[in-house]
Amino acid sequence: MAKTLRLILGDQLNSRHSWYKEKNNEVTYVLMEMRQETDYVKHHIQKVVAFFQAMRNFGEALEKADHKVIYCKLDDKENQQDLEKNITDLVEKHGFEHFEYQLPDEYRLDMQLKQICQSLSISSNPYDSEHFMTERDFLEKFFKGKKTFLLESFYREMRKKHDILMDGKEPLTGKWNYDHENRNKLKDISILKPQLLKDRDVTEFVDLLEKSGVQTIGKIDSENFSWPASRRESLALVDYFCENLLPSFGKYQDAMHTEDPFLFHSRLSFGLNSKMISPLEVVEKVEKYWYEHQDAIDIAQVEGFIRQIIGWREYMRGIYWAKMPDYKELNYLGHQNSLPGYFWTGDTKMNCMKHAIGQSLDHAYAHHIQRLMVTGNFALLAGISPDELDEWYLGIYIDAIEWVEITNTRGMSQFADGGIVGSKPYVSSANYIDKMSNYCSSCHYSKSKKTGENACPFNSLYWHFYNRHEEKLSKNPRIGMMYRTWSKMKDKEEILNQAEYYLDNLEKL
């Protein structure tokens, strides 16, 4: 075998990859901490620390397994902080004759690595990352010739293909989806369970970032950092989820509460998106646990969790590779307003926004409804530029990698793709937020008022959104009722004036 350099990116920490089955002295693995990756957006400090910590653990594990490893730390003198420069330098310095890499999951890195391979004077080969349950082009082929990519069709195909919660060719119990049972408000906080937190000291990484001048957002308790840093810790989270959180997960997966930022969510997204664990093994573990505990866990709980992984997660990746790079430029509604400053501080009188943003800054985490129906909902109603919102979501969340972030932001959240992902814009007034949370009960604004002093901004902005986009949205069959309701309302002018006032004063809300 030719002397080979194999690249491992920070989100390719898959210890079960076929690369590692055999040890070969002609093969050297390289992992790199680079300013290229810390600086392309301003990331949450916990996100950068989590990736660096997991990367170092992975590199050390490979060395202990007798693989040859080059680990390039952020402050190494020979680190040129750029992928192409570092690879070119290593090839020349060590005399490598062949270069290999796993297919990246971000378009920018995919293009960069293709360019690097063209510029190298040695041979090269890409390999699958052996993580996802579908190939890059599976979704595009599955929906070939169709204008819309219906998630439910994709989800059912995935259930059949991998025999998950199936009874032969039919779904267990005869139902595919229990979504209608996943929309309950949490009223009794006594049923909440503590999260599995194995705190560790990451002062070394925090000091490294500060010394190197890396600009970050958010907060970190450097002596009590609790995100998983290895496959073992990620698997422990799966077990803890099954034993403690799964029994209530589905029922309250859309709920929001000031008492707990995590509720019954698993906190597995970082372990999954860094590939320390795989979606199939997670789903199979959860399914197996449910089969063994059906007397205590309703099928709606497990189906809701599995749908998020084999349906939504795989679906979004498929959309990404089917629609990039054009997807990154889509702005169907033409929104151009700037992101208000409180997205970076949480300093707002809107209690729902204060909590959703605040916990994002504190924990680098918010669950899907907080992202979709609070921060995303507000941004859509307020006409925020999808470019600015993309950058915020990509930076602030620990699990945010472009393939999963941009499809959720431009597609599901902002309807900037015009309906590729979501069949309608996901907007709501204060009513939905109050229905799913306790945020409104202690808010500066009144959830019941559309106009006047302390009227909830979501209420007037909701109707203003539909009014200003009537030409593009009125024929959508899923929201026709909204326009019929709007046409009968007698206080239109007051509502629109109230909304205009809020739009002119977004920074003060």
Side-chain angles (χ1 to χ4, degrees):
M1 183 177 186
K3 190 175 181 181
T4 299
L5 178 66
R6 284 178 170 172
L7 172 68
I8 304 170
L9 296 173
D11 65 341
Q12 295 178 338
L13 309 181
N14 177 9
S15 61
R16 302 202 303 178
H17 194 279
S18 58
W19 269 1
Y20 314 121
K21 289 182 179 179
E22 295 181 2
K23 300 173 184 64
N24 190 325
N25 286 330
E26 294 298 305
V27 174
T28 299
Y29 296 94
V30 60
L31 296 95
M32 309 175 192
E33 300 168 2
M34 296 179 291
R35 292 298 294 267
Q36 168 187 308
E37 296 305 295
T38 61
D39 295 4
Y40 69 91
V41 294
K42 190 180 286 188
H43 297 283
H44 199 295
I45 188 170
Q46 293 188 38
K47 180 181 181 182
V48 182
V49 167
F51 271 105
F52 281 9
Q53 184 182 217
M55 288 166 63
R56 291 191 187 185
N57 283 348
F58 192 80
E60 290 171 5
L62 287 180
E63 287 184 324
K64 287 179 181 177
D66 295 326
H67 293 289
K68 295 177 71 174
V69 177
I70 295 173
Y71 193 97
C72 192
K73 293 183 179 180
L74 191 68
D75 57 352
D76 285 349
K77 291 181 179 179
E78 295 181 350
N79 186 349
Q80 299 186 58
Q81 309 299 338
D82 176 86
L83 185 59
E84 181 171 5
K85 290 177 181 178
N86 280 344
I87 289 173
T88 301
D89 187 59
L90 287 171
V91 169
E92 293 176 355
K93 183 179 294 182
H94 297 277
F96 289 111
E97 302 166 309
H98 185 64
F99 173 65
E100 295 177 346
Y101 67 95
Q102 295 176 28
L103 290 171
D105 291 305
E106 288 194 318
Y107 186 84
R108 66 182 178 89
L109 287 170
D110 196 53
M111 293 297 102
Q112 186 180 18
L113 278 162
K114 286 178 180 177
Q115 179 60 42
I116 289 171
C117 290
Q118 289 175 3
S119 67
L120 290 174
S121 59
I122 60 174
S123 59
S124 59
N125 283 108
Y127 286 79
D128 192 273
S129 65
E130 301 176 10
H131 170 80
F132 291 96
M133 298 166 68
T134 55
E135 298 76 28
R136 276 184 178 181
D137 60 354
F138 177 83
L139 181 138
E140 189 172 20
K141 290 179 179 178
F142 181 71
F143 289 110
K144 187 176 182 180
K146 298 182 180 179
K147 292 182 179 180
T148 57
F149 297 171
L150 188 64
L151 169 63
E152 185 66 20
S153 299
F154 176 83
Y155 170 56
R156 293 183 183 189
E157 176 65 17
M158 293 295 289
R159 289 266 298 272
K160 295 174 187 175
K161 182 178 180 181
H162 295 281
D163 191 28
I164 296 168
L165 296 179
M166 297 295 293
D167 181 10
K169 295 182 179 180
E170 298 299 320
L172 285 176
T173 74
K175 292 178 63 175
W176 288 101
N177 194 306
Y178 291 83
D179 189 46
H180 66 282
E181 296 182 31
N182 301 153
R183 304 168 185 171
N184 294 278
K185 183 173 184 172
L186 179 65
K187 297 178 181 179
D188 179 9
I189 62 173
S190 70
I191 67 172
L192 289 172
K193 304 287 186 179
Q195 289 287 327
L196 177 64
L197 302 174
K198 291 191 174 181
D199 296 337
R200 67 180 62 79
D201 192 315
V202 292
T203 305
E204 171 191 0
F205 295 98
V206 175
D207 291 346
L208 171 65
L209 297 180
E210 184 176 346
K211 182 183 72 172
S212 302
V214 175
Q215 298 295 308
T216 59
I217 57 176
K219 302 174 183 177
I220 188 169
D221 180 349
S222 61
E223 296 180 354
N224 298 281
F225 190 66
S226 61
W227 288 101
S230 67
R231 173 172 170 78
R232 177 180 56 80
E233 291 177 359
S234 298
L235 288 173
L237 274 180
V238 181
D239 292 339
Y240 187 86
F241 170 73
C242 289
E243 295 165 8
N244 297 277
L245 307 175
L246 180 59
S248 299
F249 172 78
K251 188 174 183 179
Y252 299 112
Q253 73 180 62
D254 288 1
M256 300 172 284
H257 203 285
T258 56
E259 188 70 20
D260 189 334
F262 303 114
L263 301 180
F264 301 99
H265 292 268
S266 65
R267 296 173 69 241
L268 285 172
S269 55
F270 176 71
L272 279 165
N273 290 359
S274 59
K275 300 185 180 62
M276 292 188 287
I277 50 177
S278 76
L280 185 57
E281 72 176 322
V282 169
V283 166
E284 288 179 341
K285 277 179 172 289
V286 172
E287 182 186 32
K288 182 175 184 291
Y289 189 88
W290 173 74
Y291 272 121
E292 295 170 351
H293 298 84
Q294 292 184 58
D295 56 329
I297 304 174
D298 189 279
I299 190 172
Q301 318 306 321
V302 69
E303 188 277 324
F305 178 80
I306 287 174
R307 182 169 9 106
Q308 286 189 353
I309 296 180
I310 72 169
W312 198 246
R313 187 172 184 269
E314 295 283 332
Y315 172 81
M316 284 302 195
R317 176 176 178 258
I319 293 288
Y320 182 79
W321 287 109
K323 299 299 180 180
M324 283 293 282
D326 295 342
Y327 201 85
K328 197 178 180 75
E329 308 300 323
L330 298 179
N331 189 357
Y332 178 71
L333 299 174
H335 287 172
Q336 297 295 338
N337 288 340
S338 295
L339 202 66
Y342 42 79
F343 271 75
W344 308 100
T345 65
D347 186 15
T348 170
K349 296 188 291 289
M350 294 176 286
N351 203 39
C352 59
M353 291 284 283
K354 177 182 178 180
H355 278 278
I357 294 171
Q359 74 169 62
S360 301
L361 292 167
D362 289 345
H363 303 288
Y365 172 87
H367 72 62
H368 63 289
I369 296 299
Q370 292 169 312
R371 300 187 200 193
L372 176 65
M373 298 308 298
V374 180
T375 53
N377 182 18
F378 178 79
L380 184 53
L381 296 178
I384 303 301
S385 163
D387 289 345
E388 292 198 24
L389 199 64
D390 266 341
E391 186 172 328
W392 185 78
Y393 276 115
L394 186 57
I396 202 167
Y397 291 120
I398 198 163
D399 54 16
I401 301 171
E402 190 183 64
W403 67 267
V404 69
E405 176 276 323
I406 198 171
T407 44
N408 274 287
T409 301
R410 296 233 172 205
M412 188 67 173
S413 174
Q414 298 303 293
F415 203 69
D417 65 1
I420 295 172
V421 169
S423 57
K424 67 172 185 175
Y426 279 83
V427 291
S428 79
S429 63
N431 182 57
Y432 174 84
I433 296 171
D434 184 50
K435 180 182 177 183
M436 297 308 303
S437 76
N438 70 331
Y439 293 152
C440 298
S441 60
S442 56
C443 187
H444 167 82
Y445 296 103
S446 171
K447 64 185 180 183
S448 61
K449 294 177 67 175
K450 297 185 185 72
T451 61
E453 187 177 1
N454 295 343
C456 176
F458 280 85
N459 291 336
S460 58
L461 289 175
Y462 176 77
W463 291 112
H464 190 281
F465 170 84
Y466 279 124
N467 183 71
R468 72 178 185 266
H469 293 304
E470 184 171 2
E471 185 177 338
K472 289 185 175 179
L473 300 178
S474 61
K475 294 181 181 178
N476 186 315
R478 292 200 66 192
I479 53 179
M481 186 179 71
M482 296 298 104
Y483 283 102
R484 290 192 291 274
T485 301
W486 175 238
S487 68
K488 297 174 184 177
M489 292 172 69
K490 297 178 180 180
D491 52 352
K492 287 195 193 71
E493 187 174 352
E494 293 175 52
I495 292 172
L496 294 178
N497 287 339
Q498 182 80 48
E500 289 288 349
Y501 173 79
Y502 284 149
L503 289 171
D504 290 339
N505 294 274
L506 285 177
E507 292 287 352
K508 299 177 182 179
L509 297 183

